[in-house]
Structure formats: C-alpha cells, structure tokens
Amino acid sequence: MYFSTNEHLGWVQSDSVSDALSLAQQAFQGFKKLVELNQQVIKATLAESEQAWQVATSGKTPVELWVHQANAARPVAEKALSYHRQLLGIATDTQAEFLKFIETRFEHHNIKLQAFVDGVARNAPAGSEAAVTVLKSTVSSAGIAYDAVLKAAQAIAKAQENKP
C-alpha cells in the first residue's frame, strides 16, 4: 500500500494558511468599512456640536434655546437608526462573504478529500474492504452534516437580512 501522506498533508497545510490569510483579509475589509463609517459619524457629530454651541452662545433666550434643543432630538434619533442600519449592513456583508468563502473552500477540500479516500481505497490491502467502507461512509456523513449546517447558516443570514 503506497500513497503519499506528506503530499496530502502538504496541500492541507498550504490551503489552510491561504484560507486563514483570505479570511483575515475579508475581516480587515469589514473592519475598514466600520472605521470609515465611524469617521463619518465623528465628523458629522463634531460639526453639529459646533453649530449647537454657536446657537447656545448666541445670546438667545432660554425658550429659544429649549425649542432648538427639542427640534434637534428627532434628527439625532434618525441618525442613530441610520448608523445602526449601516453597521448591520457591514456586518451582514462581511458574514455573507465569510459564508461564501467557507462554502467554496469546503467544496474544494471535499473534492481533495474524496480523491484521497479513493486513493486509500485503491491501495488498501486485501481484506480491508470493511474499513474502507467505514472510511467512505464517515466522509460522506461529514459532508451531509456540513451541508445541513451550511443551509441552516444561510437561512439564518437570509432571515437577518429580511429583518426590518
């Protein structure tokens, strides 16, 4: 029986490093979008604070100041809702990219794993048919379980996207 274990472990290690770097890149892109959103919010808040300070120090009557503050409350609430919607959008987009990446990588790894199992089966010594059948069954069951988990994760992501 001969098959190159080092060769098969080599692609697993190489792919794992590549996968980790790709996921880190996607996470960084999501973080970058979050930082940009927060920068926009901070700039807008500073400008609005300066304007509010000018109104407060302009010598208006306390009643006018109170009316200005009361009128400013609604836009603040709307901006907070907008911020949360944008934040949720960034998180949802990043999650969708992760799911798409994981699904693609699983399919790739599954093909290679099936080839590995087939190689083991071809080179197995006589009398090991039961062990090979168990191995094939285990790999197949793992694939089915993964598909079920992936579909559940996709359904959860879809439900989150459709939330008001």
Side-chain angles (χ1 to χ4, degrees):
M1 174 172 119
Y2 176 76
F3 56 91
S4 175
T5 304
N6 288 337
E7 177 183 312
H8 292 292
L9 291 177
W11 67 258
V12 170
Q13 289 174 342
S14 175
D15 284 356
S16 294
V17 170
S18 176
D19 293 351
L21 292 173
S22 288
L23 286 173
Q25 183 69 22
Q26 289 178 355
F28 182 76
Q29 291 300 322
F31 182 72
K32 181 180 172 186
K33 290 177 185 177
L34 179 62
V35 167
E36 290 170 355
L37 174 63
N38 286 334
Q39 284 178 331
Q40 292 171 355
V41 168
I42 290 169
K43 285 179 184 178
T45 302
L46 287 174
E48 291 166 5
S49 295
E50 181 182 0
Q51 183 181 21
W53 179 254
Q54 289 175 355
V55 168
T57 59
S58 67
K60 294 186 177 189
T61 66
V63 172
E64 290 174 325
L65 181 58
W66 178 259
V67 168
H68 175 71
Q69 288 177 337
N71 290 337
R74 183 174 180 178
V76 169
E78 290 171 355
K79 288 175 187 171
L81 286 173
S82 174
Y83 173 79
H84 288 340
R85 274 190 226 109
Q86 291 176 40
L87 187 63
L88 181 61
I90 291 170
T92 302
D93 291 346
T94 302
Q95 179 186 21
E97 289 297 318
F98 272 42
L99 282 174
K100 185 173 28 172
F101 177 82
I102 290 169
E103 181 178 351
T104 302
R105 297 313 300 163
F106 174 76
E107 290 171 5
H108 173 74
H109 285 290
N110 196 30
I111 290 169
K112 287 192 174 195
L113 181 60
Q114 288 294 336
F116 176 73
V117 169
D118 290 343
V120 169
R122 275 193 308 275
N123 296 309
S128 60
E129 290 82 14
V132 170
T133 302
V134 168
L135 179 62
K136 285 184 174 183
S137 175
T138 302
V139 170
S140 176
S141 295
I144 291 169
Y146 174 79
D147 283 340
V149 169
L150 181 63
K151 287 178 182 174
Q154 290 172 337
I156 290 168
K158 189 72 167 171
Q160 288 175 344
E161 287 176 11
N162 293 333
K163 273 187 172 179

